[in-house]
């Protein structure tokens, strides 16, 4: 595993996620490296070993997937809160 990948693992251990922003002032070079990996992945220019290593640490290849997952999780949390308050999951579509 290269130095940047090790740095990403340390970042994830500290912050709990791998999607380092390319404009993160404290982690600018790591964020740029993460962005470059995502671009290379889209161009099918990464080795399967690199992809496997990145997948093993929970690397996010497409940030649209993150937004979709977060949206689903947010709605699920809202449903859980509704159930806790109302005792059921039959949510009106009219309100």
């Amino acid at each position: 595993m290269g130095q940047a990948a090790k740095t990403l693992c340390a970042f994830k251990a500290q912050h709990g996620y791998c999607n380092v922003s390319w404009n993160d002032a404290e982690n600018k070079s790591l964020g740029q490296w993460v962005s470059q990996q995502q671009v290379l992945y889209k161009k099918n220019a990464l080795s399967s070993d690199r992809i496997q290593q990145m997948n093993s640490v929970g690397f996010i290849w497409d940030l649209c997937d993150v937004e979709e997952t977060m949206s689903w999780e947010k709605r699920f949390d809202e449903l859980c809160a509704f159930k806790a308050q109302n005792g059921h999951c039959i949510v009106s579509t009219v309100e």
Side-chain angles (χ1 to χ4, degrees):
M1 185 178 285
Q3 185 58 42
K6 290 177 184 176
T7 303
L8 181 63
C9 289
F11 181 92
K12 182 178 182 183
Q14 183 178 3
H15 299 280
Y17 58 90
C18 291
N19 56 328
V20 185
S21 173
W22 62 270
N23 61 0
D24 181 332
E26 293 180 30
N27 301 287
K28 191 165 187 81
S29 63
L30 181 61
Q32 291 170 342
W33 181 82
V34 164
S35 180
Q36 180 185 29
Q37 300 310 297
Q38 292 165 329
V39 168
L40 291 171
Y41 179 80
K42 287 178 185 176
K43 292 180 177 182
N44 201 25
L46 290 177
S47 70
S48 59
D49 288 341
R50 169 67 58 91
I51 293 169
Q52 185 177 2
Q53 285 178 342
M54 302 296 279
N55 286 341
S56 73
V57 297
F59 190 78
I60 304 298
W61 297 106
D62 187 346
L63 292 180
C64 292
D65 293 342
V66 173
E67 292 172 8
E68 186 176 305
T69 300
M70 290 174 64
S71 177
W72 185 91
E73 289 174 353
K74 180 181 179 216
R75 292 298 188 185
F76 181 75
D77 290 344
E78 290 172 356
L79 179 61
C80 290
F82 179 89
K83 182 177 181 186
Q85 184 176 8
N86 298 289
H88 59 82
C89 292
I90 305 169
V91 181
S92 172
T93 58
V94 179
E95 295 177 15

